[in-house]
Amino acid sequence: MANTRNVCVIGSGAAGLITAKTLLDDGFDVEILSRDNSAGGVWSANRVYPGLYTNNVNGEYQFSALPMRPLSKERPSGTEMCQYMGEFAHRFLEGKIRFNTQVLNIRRNGLGLHGWIIAARNTINGGEEQRSYDAVVLCSGGCSEPRIPLGLSAADAASAGFNGPVVHASHFSSQVEDILSRVRPVSHANPGRIVVVGGGKSAQDIAAYLANEGRSVSVVFSTADTVIASPITLPHFIRKSRLLTLMSPHIHLRTRFEQFLHTTWLGSKIVHGFLSALAWCSLKFLSVPSSSPLSNSYSMFWGVRTNDEGGPRPNRFHSLVNSGKIKLVAPSRAKRFGHDGRSIILADGRVVEADALILATGFNSSWEGLFDVDTAQELGIDKHTIAPVTASESEWGSYKSIGNPPKTLADDIEPRGLLLYHGMVPARNISRRDFAINGAVYTANPAYVFEVSSHWISSYLLSDPFLRIPSPEEAAAQCERETEWMNIRYPGILNWANESFSTRINFWDYPQLVDDLLEEMSLPIMRTGGNWFTWPFIPLSTQEFKTLGAERAELRSAI
């Protein structure tokens, strides 16, 4: 294919790597800019640490062009993910990634010309430069800019005279040796104490690692992530199929089975009963008593904070809590540092002694500061307020499964969303075909979504005639509809998650989203096959997409 357009892919995480490979295969001249010093994003060498594991079982976090090597454990470790991402980059993107390059600003070429100007800084020598590109694909993700709670920053620590290290979870790998050297183990005559703030997977993994290193660990959180666990490894026809994903309603219901589950009284009872039973059984398998703060967790149906723990293991978080090696301080919220230099004050007035503080408190959007106000508005990547609507007032009034949403703290706040078509293209910019986003969809199976999204984006940039693209006005209307759906499906979510991690939320219903993208590319959907009875039980795999490039080329040549 003859194509001389040069494209800048920003970010070398999973979304950036698969996007760059697909664009290269389609004939684009591609350059990746990454502030990291190795490929992988959240799985890069400077981010992973011992004891870190994915939420995805083996085979789910791989792309079709490079199957992951068989692993001894049920889910890949952070180190194994780092190795896989590095191997993918070496095999398919050698010489295409500029590491240690911090993007400072993205703006349109002047004088009404097509294309983009990107200002960047070399993080090693500090040198700055500007480079021009015909198109940009933003793949910086939503897990790169630490979110530091008010009152708990390093500056706040210094002001209060706190003597220990204050480290965000994203920097834990680079600081872990310093933490271990400065905080004495429990076997010492005067042991130190480490406080981890957060109820999510990062907090749990870090707490488990530190406890296994013999340190005294306390975890402060208000609400814990939900867990999925089982005493045995679940068979693939349950864990890797559409069975669990069908329990989540999609913006439209494609099959009769989904319509039964979400538009009938009996189906709704089955959905909520199944997920509630799964959450209850998972805690039982992990020996978590009903009185434990870990039982105060997010809803598996209404929320997006669910971790797949597998089975209980003696060196993992829940077992360490049960054995008393990790102390839970919950429900509560860390508020500020004590003035004695060795404590954290909680919102309820309690005092927790600490010689080090780890903040597993989430992330801000990686897009902040990349665009000036004029560019953001012209591009259409600025937030706007939407009118809150209940399910009964909307076109989804027939969905019984979303008829009784829980009340959230954000109910009294007007939800704000972005006009991003499928979470990938600003509606206002859709006709220009020179800017796209990959990796900003909140999903339980990133590789599955990112790979198909990369083909959609490549066809979009190529102006493939078989890709059905709406007008800017139609795209904006569709974005309003999608934003309204997200606010109904996940109450309060738009005021919680940062926009570079939640342009679309398809946590459990990721196969349905992929079918939508494939259908828009005029490609076959539901590619696992099967008949009316077996299709929900056939394992999903990115191998379904191995021929997407060839299929698109065939469609292109036929028109």
Side-chain angles (χ1 to χ4, degrees):
M1 184 189 307
N3 183 17
T4 59
R5 296 181 72 195
N6 66 324
V7 182
C8 178
V9 173
I10 299 175
S12 62
L17 296 180
I18 188 59
T19 299
K21 181 189 181 302
T22 301
L23 293 173
L24 280 169
D25 290 345
D26 281 349
F28 287 95
D29 180 14
V30 178
E31 184 172 60
I32 301 176
L33 302 183
S34 174
R35 74 177 185 181
D36 294 326
N37 57 17
S38 65
V42 295
W43 309 112
S44 61
N46 64 326
R47 298 281 294 274
V48 301
Y49 49 87
L52 176 65
Y53 284 86
T54 73
N55 261 336
N56 298 69
V57 293
N58 291 343
E60 278 192 340
Y61 224 128
Q62 65 182 4
F63 299 118
S64 62
L66 182 66
M68 189 174 288
R69 296 187 183 96
L71 305 174
S72 58
K73 296 183 176 63
E74 185 180 357
R75 50 190 44 76
S77 67
T79 300
E80 288 165 331
M81 284 302 307
C82 177
Q83 292 170 346
Y84 175 81
M85 294 295 172
E87 183 179 355
F88 188 95
H90 175 72
R91 182 172 299 192
F92 303 112
L93 301 168
E94 190 69 22
K96 297 295 182 180
I97 308 178
R98 296 181 62 201
F99 292 114
N100 303 305
T101 303
Q102 174 75 51
V103 173
L104 303 176
N105 178 259
I106 304 170
R107 70 178 191 276
R108 284 211 178 275
N109 206 339
L111 303 176
L113 300 175
H114 288 285
W116 298 88
I117 300 295
I118 293 182
R121 176 191 298 124
N122 185 297
T123 59
I124 296 178
N125 60 30
E128 295 187 8
E129 63 175 330
Q130 294 188 356
R131 300 174 71 87
S132 61
Y133 301 91
D134 296 316
V136 171
V137 184
L138 187 58
C139 303
S140 56
C143 297
S144 58
E145 297 296 329
R147 177 182 293 159
I148 308 297
L150 185 67
L152 297 178
S153 69
D156 294 321
S159 177
F162 184 77
N163 300 317
V166 178
V167 179
H168 189 269
S170 59
H171 300 144
F172 179 71
S173 176
S174 61
Q175 301 294 318
V176 62
E177 294 303 324
D178 179 58
I179 295 169
L180 293 176
S181 67
R182 295 173 64 179
V183 180
R184 296 179 294 270
V186 293
S187 58
H188 195 275
N190 296 298
R193 296 139 303 184
I194 301 175
V195 172
V196 180
V197 177
K201 187 175 184 300
S202 294
Q204 294 178 8
D205 282 349
I206 289 172
Y209 173 76
L210 293 171
N212 287 322
E213 289 294 316
R215 269 55 178 187
S216 173
V217 182
S218 297
V219 184
V220 179
F221 61 91
S222 55
T223 307
D225 282 8
T226 307
V227 294
I228 296 177
S230 60
I232 61 172
T233 301
L234 293 176
H236 289 179
F237 75 85
I238 294 178
R239 182 57 186 83
K240 292 187 177 184
S241 69
R242 289 181 181 249
L243 184 62
L244 187 57
T245 72
L246 293 175
M247 296 291 170
S248 177
H250 190 55
I251 192 169
H252 59 85
L253 305 175
R254 192 182 298 275
T255 66
R256 290 184 178 180
F257 187 39
E258 293 170 276
Q259 292 166 10
F260 165 73
L261 289 176
H262 299 292
T263 66
T264 69
W265 176 87
L266 177 59
S268 176
K269 292 296 182 182
I270 291 173
V271 166
H272 287 279
F274 175 83
L275 294 178
S276 296
L278 179 59
W280 182 84
C281 290
S282 295
L283 291 178
K284 289 298 180 183
F285 292 144
L286 296 172
S287 300
V288 176
S290 58
S291 59
S292 170
L294 295 175
S295 295
N296 178 31
S297 58
Y298 293 95
S299 165
M300 195 177 295
F301 179 86
W302 295 105
V304 294
R305 297 184 59 173
T306 298
N307 299 325
D308 193 335
E309 272 294 307
R313 288 163 285 173
N315 65 340
R316 298 295 292 153
F317 176 78
H318 293 85
S319 297
L320 293 168
V321 170
N322 293 338
S323 65
K325 294 182 178 179
I326 294 177
K327 179 182 177 181
L328 303 181
V329 185
S332 192
R333 181 175 55 85
K335 186 176 182 180
R336 60 181 176 85
F337 295 96
H339 290 289
D340 58 358
R342 300 191 65 185
S343 65
I344 306 297
I345 310 300
L346 306 185
D348 57 15
R350 283 183 289 173
V351 178
V352 181
E353 294 183 336
D355 296 288
L357 179 67
I358 313 297
L359 298 170
T361 48
F363 298 87
N364 293 321
S365 173
S366 62
W367 302 345
E368 293 179 5
L370 289 183
F371 307 92
D372 57 45
V373 174
D374 291 340
T375 301
Q377 291 179 346
E378 185 273 335
L379 184 61
I381 203 169
D382 51 325
K383 278 190 172 183
H384 72 291
T385 301
I386 63 171
V389 177
T390 64
S392 60
E393 297 170 333
S394 71
E395 64 178 283
W396 301 284
S398 62
Y399 282 41
K400 303 297 184 184
S401 62
I402 59 174
N404 296 294
K407 184 173 178 58
T408 71
L409 295 176
D411 281 352
D412 297 328
I413 303 174
E414 289 184 322
R416 301 179 69 204
L418 297 173
L419 295 180
L420 293 173
Y421 185 68
H422 292 330
M424 291 190 289
V425 177
R428 208 175 297 165
N429 193 69
I430 197 167
S431 297
R432 300 191 69 156
R433 295 182 184 263
D434 63 356
F435 182 88
I437 299 166
N438 197 2
V441 175
Y442 203 118
T443 174
N445 196 332
Y448 199 83
V449 173
F450 294 171
E451 181 154 354
V452 174
S453 297
S454 73
H455 285 274
W456 191 99
I457 289 169
S458 188
S459 280
Y460 167 73
L461 297 180
L462 283 169
S463 298
D464 279 335
F466 55 80
L467 177 64
R468 299 186 288 272
I469 295 295
S471 68
E473 295 74 21
E474 292 169 333
Q478 178 63 18
C479 290
E480 294 280 5
R481 177 173 178 265
E482 292 173 351
T483 304
E484 182 176 286
W485 162 252
M486 285 192 292
N487 197 52
I488 292 172
R489 173 65 185 89
Y490 295 106
I493 194 70
L494 297 178
N495 294 319
W496 170 76
N498 74 68
E499 60 265 31
S500 54
F501 202 29
S502 58
T503 60
R504 277 288 298 269
I505 301 173
N506 296 92
F507 189 70
W508 290 120
D509 60 325
Y510 61 88
Q512 294 95 309
L513 168 64
V514 164
D515 286 340
D516 292 344
L517 299 180
L518 290 170
E519 188 172 59
E520 204 161 75
M521 287 187 282
S522 306
L523 296 170
I525 66 172
M526 302 179 72
R527 300 166 77 92
T528 54
N531 57 36
W532 67 272
F533 178 74
T534 62
W535 69 271
F537 304 98
I538 299 176
L540 299 164
S541 169
T542 52
Q543 291 301 308
E544 301 166 31
F545 315 132
K546 193 173 182 64
T547 62
L548 282 189
E551 293 176 48
R552 290 168 47 238
E554 184 176 350
L555 284 175
R556 196 177 299 118
S557 63
I559 296 176

